[in-house]
Amino acid sequence: MYDIVFISYKELNAERNWELLKLKAPSALRLHGIKGLHNAHAAAASMVSTSMFYVVDGDAEISDTF
């Protein structure tokens, strides 16, 4: 199992999408407000405890089958 990091910046629906993700993956981590995609992914990598991890973007709506 891999860690999951939800990365958001200024997406209008980020809060709703974060809540949907937490329903499916309660242990997911959140990273908010880091400018630049590369910077956000590097910061996410420093948060996780697994060798690889899933990234969920702030504008991604979690499907029921996730």
Side-chain angles (χ1 to χ4, degrees):
M1 172 133 327
Y2 298 116
D3 287 335
I4 301 171
V5 181
F6 182 85
I7 297 177
S8 59
Y9 187 63
K10 293 184 179 180
E11 298 86 0
L12 296 176
N13 53 349
E15 293 304 320
R16 178 181 177 277
N17 292 339
W18 169 237
E19 294 301 324
L20 290 172
L21 176 61
K22 287 195 310 183
L23 292 174
K24 299 287 184 177
S27 63
L29 305 168
R30 184 169 186 184
L31 178 65
H32 178 73
I34 303 295
K35 188 173 184 175
L37 188 58
H38 174 77
N39 295 335
H41 281 86
S46 71
M47 296 171 59
V48 299
S49 60
T50 55
S51 61
M52 293 189 284
F53 61 98
Y54 293 103
V55 169
V56 178
D57 291 329
D59 59 354
E61 185 175 328
I62 302 304
S63 70
D64 290 336
T65 59
F66 180 78

